Amino acid sequence: MITKPKGTYDVLNFDARNYNYIEEVIHTFARLYNYDYIRTPIFESKELFHRGVGETTDIVTKETYDFQDKKGRDLTLRPEGTAGIARSYIENKMYGNNDLTKLYYFGTMYRYERPQAGRNREFTQFGMEALGSNDPSIDAEMISLPIRIFESLGIKNLKVKINSLGDTESRNNYSKALKNYLEPHINELCSDCKERFKKNPLRILDCKVDGENDIIKNAPRVLDFLNKESKERFAKVLNYLDTMDIDYEIDPNVVRGLDYYDHTVFEIVADIKELGTGNVLAGGGRYNSLVKNLGGPDTPAIGFACGIERVLFTINTLELKCADEKSLDVFVLYVNDEEKEHATYLAQELRLNGFSTDVDYLGKNLKAQFKEADKYNSKYLIILNSEDLKDGMLELKDNLTKDKKKIKEINLIDELDGNM
Ligand code: HAM
């Protein structure tokens, strides 16, 4: 038997319907908040992620699926969506009219991680990005969006953890202080952290090995190194969050595992023990230098992404009801070949008139067809009979009340319209 690769999964049955439901909710919110849908490639040039996400991040050093195509081009399955969006923003000159560009996306992402609850090698993110504004009010919109989406799915007890990494000057000052603090402890840290110390000490803070170590826990906090402008900016973001009635907790440990961030960074955490460290439903932040680093114009931007599987897991754990049970409007039943032919015709007519409809394709007897109709929660049954068909009539049964009546076939659509 061929089985699925480690770290991948099939989404089936009720989960698949909930999955669709979540996507519909996201489309609705995107429309409400005026975000446009965008699709970018699943693979991009390897260089995009090295320059975008950062050479020293775990994602780039350990987790990307890199490959060469038949012409020897270096490509990477995207580990996240933001770098591709920034690339597309530049390549399609979306900055041309100096407007704010608000985009949202869904897509499979690939990270070679150790699979566990809420952590897969292939997973799906939805994300939202706003490019072109540095105004703190859009930071608050971006934090409120996933919260309002999760709430509308029935997920409560969410925590917004927020922090600020400040501007480049603040981060450089912090980086120096962190280096000074870590230097005497460097031999107590893992081999990866020793490398990170040389190249990008900030990445030591989200080390999966040393993260819980007291040395890291007692490290200086970035908030203490923000310059005046960065501090004022952060205060404004918090003020807007208050205005929008979004509860938050300032958490200096939120530094995010990607290099492109500055100023606001945030994570939205669900209170689900079974998810362990995978309980971060969404994460994001401001990335004011990314577009420029990738060769575009200086463009401030902010966004977030959310793992749909983690949302699905949360919905299942909390036993929330999202998608409806599967149901059909009509099931058409027949016995002989002449009736079967008519059933095929009628099913198409009904579908084209907007009624979800099915018929038996397995040659089942009438009793088994009734069972099949029940299995699909069919609201109405049409039971065909050659004698009735000659007179242009058919039998319509309300499958809930079990009421039956004979009606003229030409009145069928009106009859169903009137009842649904
Ligand atoms: P991230 O924190 O790496 O950020 O991922 C965002 C979300 O994707 C996580 O909070 C989690 O829900 C989900 N996720 C990440 N890795 C996995 C995995 N292995 N299995 C299942 N779910 C996972 C980003 O990707 C940034 N691009 C977010 C962003 C957008 N920042 C600005 N704009």
Side-chain angles (χ1 to χ4, degrees), residues 59 79-83 105 111 113 118-125 127-129 256-258 260-261 267-268 278 280-287 302-310:
I59 294 182
E80 59 98 53
T82 311
Y105 55 94
R111 295 185 193 176
E113 294 201 74
R119 204 175 287 284
N120 305 299
R121 290 183 177 169
E122 182 188 71
F123 59 99
T124 311
Q125 280 186 346
M128 297 176 143
E129 316 282 351
R256 313 276 301 127
L258 305 97
Y260 49 60
Y261 292 115
E267 290 182 345
I268 295 168
V280 181
L281 296 189
R286 187 157 272 290
Y287 50 96
I302 183 162
F304 76 89
C306 160
I308 297 195
E309 295 77 12
R310 293 188 186 185

Side-chain angles (χ1 to χ4, degrees), residues 215-273:
I215 299 168
I216 309 286
K217 282 187 181 158
N218 298 328
R221 309 292 203 191
V222 63
L223 280 179
D224 298 327
F225 293 82
L226 296 190
N227 59 18
K228 189 166 170 283
E229 295 80 50
S230 299
K231 256 190 209 149
E232 282 172 4
R233 192 183 187 289
F234 190 44
K236 281 185 189 157
V237 173
L238 301 183
N239 189 45
Y240 279 114
L241 286 174
D242 291 335
T243 310
M244 295 174 86
D245 217 8
I246 299 285
D247 288 335
Y248 53 82
E249 188 180 296
I250 297 172
D251 184 343
N253 295 319
V254 174
V255 288
R256 313 276 301 127
L258 305 97
D259 272 352
Y260 49 60
Y261 292 115
D262 46 22
H263 291 291
T264 311
V265 281
F266 62 95
E267 290 182 345
I268 295 168
V269 181
D271 188 13
I272 304 284
K273 279 189 205 73

